[in-house]
Amino acid sequence: MHLAVSFFSFILNNPPEPAHDISILHFTDLVRCLYLKQPPCSRERKQMALSYGANELSEAGVKFIVNKPSSSHGCILDMEFENGTLKIPHIEVHDGTEIWLRNVVALEQCYYPYKHYISDYVRFIGQLIRTKKDVDVLIKAGIIDYMIGGGNDQSSVAKLFSDVRMNMVVTSTSVDFLQICDDMNAYYNNPWNNKMATLRRDYFNTPWTTVASIAGIVLLILTVIQTVCSLLQI
């Protein structure tokens, strides 16, 4: 087990060894086990539904940052959404990524039809990055590093996750992903969040526009005060 974990650690960011009481079927099952939270969270018989991509969410004010691995675990499923910030573990997307994703997803479809946690991850990322702009948002946030075929076409990243999750049979979803999707949909649909994001993007995106916007607000306030004072003197 120690030798096997050491071999796979170069693609799994030095994961901890699985507990001794866990039964491992073969190497693909070992890779899946190394990616899982221990113990895995509960599931519900619901479909995952993230209504907006990363670019739309970013324009609504959602921030994307890398969720740093803890000293004991670096699971790719360690995601959390709080106060408008989505934390996602870093992932490297290269020519071999689709291979191990397809193998693990196929394993779950056959042997873990009610505990397909890696499939949940693929579906979530697939719904989060639907276009090149969505991929750009996660690349700029440092969440995704891509090295596919030596090219620079970010759309290939979105296509990868779209292809892997095609024809996937789903019976349930991790409650963690369901909660994150519900919270992010609610955040986007909140008019206040959209207005504040537009204000920051259009009027406070650079130091100069910030100074100009503040000066304009101060001038408007002074004009109102002067008008009120003039009316009071009449």
Side-chain angles (χ1 to χ4, degrees):
M1 180 66 71
H2 177 72
L3 290 174
V5 172
S6 298
F7 176 79
F8 287 111
S9 63
F10 75 98
I11 60 170
L12 301 180
N13 296 322
N14 298 314
E17 291 191 16
H20 295 291
D21 58 345
I22 295 179
S23 177
I24 303 297
L25 300 176
H26 39 60
F27 285 137
T28 306
D29 194 34
L30 173 62
V31 172
R32 173 184 179 273
C33 181
L34 293 175
Y35 275 112
L36 295 183
K37 290 182 178 180
Q38 298 298 336
C41 63
S42 59
R43 307 182 64 83
E44 291 186 11
R45 298 183 68 85
K46 293 182 179 180
Q47 291 289 331
M48 184 188 304
L50 182 60
S51 303
Y52 311 99
N55 185 60
E56 294 175 292
L57 292 166
S58 178
E59 291 181 348
V62 174
K63 296 180 181 179
F64 297 87
I65 64 175
V66 177
N67 197 11
K68 302 294 184 181
S70 64
S71 58
S72 60
H73 207 278
C75 178
I76 62 170
L77 305 182
D78 287 334
M79 301 186 194
E80 54 183 306
F81 180 73
E82 187 177 9
N83 298 325
T85 300
L86 178 64
K87 297 181 180 179
I88 309 180
H90 175 266
I91 179 174
E92 293 183 356
V93 181
H94 47 73
D95 291 329
T97 302
E98 183 174 357
I99 296 174
W100 69 260
L101 278 178
R102 283 191 180 278
N103 275 285
V104 174
V105 168
L107 172 69
E108 289 190 333
Q109 293 284 281
C110 295
Y111 290 96
Y112 301 99
Y114 304 106
K115 297 181 180 179
H116 40 71
Y117 291 96
I118 305 302
S119 300
D120 289 347
Y121 172 82
V122 173
R123 286 190 294 143
F124 179 80
I125 297 298
Q127 293 184 23
L128 189 63
I129 53 174
R130 313 175 192 195
T131 66
K132 178 179 178 294
K133 290 184 178 180
D134 296 328
V135 180
D136 287 339
V137 170
L138 298 190
I139 289 177
K140 291 178 181 178
I143 294 170
I144 290 180
D145 281 339
Y146 79 102
M147 299 163 284
I148 299 180
N152 58 358
D153 183 11
Q154 293 94 324
S155 60
S156 58
V157 179
K159 184 178 185 302
L160 184 153
F161 283 93
S162 176
D163 290 347
V164 173
R165 69 191 181 104
M166 189 177 298
N167 300 322
M168 190 182 294
V169 178
V170 176
T171 59
S172 60
T173 306
S174 164
V175 294
D176 286 353
F177 283 109
L178 289 175
Q179 187 63 53
I180 290 175
C181 289
D182 289 344
D183 291 345
M184 292 178 71
N185 288 336
Y187 188 95
Y188 182 91
N189 292 322
N190 187 326
W192 174 256
N193 293 329
N194 276 279
K195 291 178 181 178
M196 291 300 298
T198 301
L199 185 65
R200 288 193 297 267
R201 183 174 62 252
D202 295 342
Y203 299 100
F204 297 95
N205 58 337
T206 66
W208 290 112
T209 56
T210 300
V211 171
S213 299
I214 294 176
I217 293 172
V218 172
L219 180 62
L220 177 62
I221 294 174
L222 292 177
T223 302
V224 172
I225 293 175
Q226 184 180 11
T227 301
V228 172
C229 292
S230 300
L231 292 175
L232 291 177
Q233 290 176 359
I234 296 176

